[in-house]
Amino acid sequence: MENSLAEIQRYMTENRSSLLEDWFSLIRHKSISATGEGVEECCDWLKHRMETLGIQVAKEPVKPYPLLIGRLGQDPGKKTVLIYAHYDVKPAGDLHKWHSDPFEPMIREGKVFARGSADNKSPLMAHLEAVRYYQETERPLPVNLLFVFEGCEEEGSTGLPGFLLEHKKELQADLVFFSDGPKDPSNRPIIALGAKGDLNIRITVKTMDRNVHARYAPVLPSAAWKLVEILHGLKQGDRVLVPGFYDGIIPLSREEKLILEQLPDSEEALNRMYGAKSRHYGKAFYQHLLGEPTFNICWLKSGANGVIPAEAEALLDIRLVPGQKPLEIFQKVKDYLASLDDPAVTVSLEDGYLEPSKTTVDTPFLPSIEKVTQEIYGSYVIYPCRPSSAPDYLWTNILGLPAIQVRWSDADSDNHAPNEHLSIDEYFKGIALTIKVLEILGKD
């Protein structure tokens, strides 16, 4: 029996209070993977919630934080869909910049403000509420479900790759489906077929034993100026100057280029949201955004009042496209800095890195996901590779599975920032999306 959108919406209206309370309860459980605060307790609450839905759940002792593996349905005649999400969040940051308690959901103008309200506790709970829908409406589950919920995504999914390699045979599925991230700046949901990889590199410069009064600037070396000169040598304009940085990049296919050409103009929307004009317009916008690696400076640290800084540091955040490998890129940056032959400069790789991933546009599951997304949202965009990073490679590179994600959080949801938020309407659409995706995959 088909799940009409009107019936799903009626169900959510009738159960609005309990659906919101489930979501809010998960948000209230702190699960900050950077510090470990509340992660174990949140995991245990989530495990219990899954079990109340009849899901068989194993709490795996993956380090540093436990992994939840859930199973529902074992019908060999049905497809198996692996649903991924993460229950950890970023730290709240500067509390003075929040308009309310970051771990107590606050509704303002139809939006829920709280850490994790968008990233990623809304999709996680939306997936579970889809299961609840099938149970409470006494409809048979169209597919077998395999849940993988981790508690360390915000810290690089440490421990998860090793677990998946060890349990590869047990975790086979027809498709990996998940939702993690905001819409396109044009306010259309994004169907993403891949994600950029990510690595963070710390560059440290030490020129003296301690800071010295600035009167000695004409004769003593500044770590800050040396760091600026090094960074200038690494990247100028849009071009990364590290030898071999672009080697091996897999060029966009003809089909992927056609998809990029059809994407809507988003430059002005970005300008309205952030007050910053893009350096690239027209077709070049999405070519740069989705098809090219990044070489971003996350932060710079140096100095004090009226001194020549003895030390300076920078953290590079590098997003990689398919064909680039994180450890190879780190080695190339390291080799370049070593070629400077300057003992004042050291370089280190931060913990946690992600490989880029790709599911081809000819995957047979894409038309079904497109059909459901259009039914619920009216219009959508396809990203052959999303501009941000996610542990998508775990499924494509390790398990060898196709993976499709639909990103439906508010375009300006401010993930990781103060006052992260998600519209209640978008949350309910996310529930409907999972319900309909499971249905259509069960028919294919």
Side-chain angles (χ1 to χ4, degrees):
M1 182 168 55
E2 184 174 344
N3 300 290
S4 74
L5 195 54
E7 290 172 338
I8 295 171
Q9 291 169 339
R10 183 165 54 251
Y11 167 85
M12 291 190 293
T13 299
E14 293 171 353
N15 294 276
R16 179 183 176 88
S17 295
S18 62
L19 291 171
L20 289 178
E21 185 52 37
D22 280 348
W23 182 25
F24 294 172
S25 295
L26 180 57
I27 292 172
R28 290 187 184 106
H29 281 81
K30 292 184 181 181
S31 49
I32 305 170
S33 52
T35 63
E37 184 181 4
V39 176
E40 190 82 28
E41 293 81 359
C42 182
C43 179
D44 289 339
W45 181 90
L46 182 57
K47 179 176 183 290
H48 176 71
R49 183 72 188 95
M50 294 170 70
E51 289 171 339
T52 63
L53 294 170
I55 302 170
Q56 295 180 333
V57 188
K59 181 181 177 182
E60 301 289 350
V62 173
K63 298 297 182 181
Y65 306 118
L67 177 73
L68 294 177
I69 302 293
R71 298 180 186 275
L72 186 62
Q74 296 181 343
D75 187 338
K78 294 179 178 180
K79 289 186 177 67
T80 297
V81 178
L82 190 158
I83 291 183
Y84 165 78
H86 65 91
Y87 62 89
D88 65 312
V89 299
K90 283 287 190 182
D94 187 350
L95 297 180
H96 292 96
K97 294 183 179 180
W98 285 83
H99 301 315
S100 55
D101 185 338
F103 292 100
E104 181 54 47
M106 180 65 66
I107 300 175
R108 295 196 298 273
E109 298 181 350
K111 299 179 180 181
V112 174
F113 289 79
R115 174 59 83 229
S117 58
D119 182 18
N120 180 243
K121 291 181 174 179
S122 49
L124 188 156
M125 188 53 68
H127 298 322
L128 294 181
E129 298 295 7
V131 173
R132 175 183 165 189
Y133 168 83
Y134 277 101
Q135 292 178 342
E136 293 190 351
T137 58
E138 299 182 343
R139 296 165 184 259
L141 194 63
V143 296
N144 302 315
L145 290 176
L146 175 58
F147 298 91
V148 178
F149 292 162
E150 69 158 313
C152 198
E153 192 271 350
E154 300 293 6
E155 293 298 306
S157 297
T158 307
L160 185 52
F163 178 88
L164 295 180
L165 281 170
E166 185 178 350
H167 298 274
K168 184 174 180 177
K169 291 183 179 180
E170 307 155 40
L171 297 172
Q172 285 302 301
D174 294 283
L175 172 70
V176 178
F177 176 73
F178 65 104
S179 300
D180 186 359
K183 296 178 177 180
D184 182 78
S186 66
N187 203 39
R188 294 170 172 88
I190 300 167
I191 300 175
L193 298 171
K196 290 185 179 180
D198 185 30
L199 77 155
N200 292 280
I201 299 175
R202 185 186 297 256
I203 299 175
T204 303
V205 177
K206 183 176 181 180
T207 54
M208 300 182 289
D209 290 337
R210 61 183 183 274
N211 293 341
V212 180
H213 191 282
R215 67 179 181 273
Y216 288 109
V219 293
L220 292 180
S222 164
W225 273 115
K226 183 179 286 289
L227 178 59
V228 168
E229 292 165 0
I230 290 170
L231 294 173
H232 183 67
L234 288 170
K235 179 178 181 288
Q236 294 176 24
D238 287 332
R239 190 72 183 172
V240 178
L241 304 179
V242 176
F245 180 79
Y246 296 97
D247 291 352
I249 290 178
I250 300 172
L252 293 171
S253 68
R254 178 177 175 276
E255 292 77 14
E256 290 170 333
K257 289 179 180 178
L258 288 174
I259 288 173
L260 295 188
E261 290 177 2
Q262 295 168 11
L263 291 175
D265 293 337
S266 294
E267 300 92 333
E268 292 303 326
L270 277 175
N271 188 25
R272 287 194 301 272
M273 283 191 286
Y274 302 116
K277 291 187 177 180
S278 169
R279 300 194 308 276
H280 304 286
Y281 280 78
K283 294 181 180 179
F285 177 83
Y286 280 106
Q287 173 68 40
H288 283 274
L289 180 66
L290 307 183
E292 297 182 1
T294 72
F295 205 88
N296 179 50
I297 300 172
C298 273
W299 50 251
L300 300 166
K301 295 180 181 178
S302 184
N305 292 328
V307 300
I308 307 169
E311 292 190 34
E313 281 190 319
L315 185 70
L316 302 178
D317 171 60
I318 304 173
R319 306 293 169 122
L320 309 175
V321 295
Q324 293 180 303
K325 298 184 182 300
L327 294 182
E328 290 182 2
I329 294 298
F330 170 65
Q331 189 61 48
K332 289 173 180 178
V333 173
K334 188 176 180 181
D335 290 345
Y336 168 79
L337 294 175
S339 72
L340 302 180
D341 196 25
D342 190 336
V345 182
T346 58
V347 58
S348 60
L349 178 66
E350 299 289 281
D351 290 339
Y353 58 85
L354 299 173
E355 297 177 14
S357 65
K358 175 182 283 192
T359 293
T360 58
V361 296
D362 60 359
T363 175
F365 299 104
L366 179 57
S368 296
I369 303 295
E370 286 187 81
K371 182 178 179 180
V372 170
T373 306
Q374 184 175 38
E375 179 183 2
I376 294 174
Y377 296 95
S379 60
Y380 60 89
V381 296
I382 298 176
Y383 281 8
C385 181
R386 61 185 261 186
S388 55
S389 300
D392 193 51
Y393 81 97
L394 299 173
W395 327 119
T396 59
N397 301 8
I398 295 179
L399 295 186
L401 304 176
I404 299 178
Q405 52 183 298
V406 181
R407 297 158 60 87
W408 46 258
S409 297
D410 297 339
D412 63 348
S413 55
D414 291 335
N415 296 2
H416 299 181
N419 302 301
E420 176 183 350
H421 61 273
L422 179 70
S423 302
I424 293 175
D425 287 346
E426 296 298 341
Y427 177 62
F428 285 138
K429 286 181 181 178
I431 297 173
L433 176 76
T434 300
I435 292 170
K436 296 291 288 185
V437 164
L438 299 184
E439 176 189 55
I440 199 168
L441 293 177
K443 292 179 179 179
D444 288 349

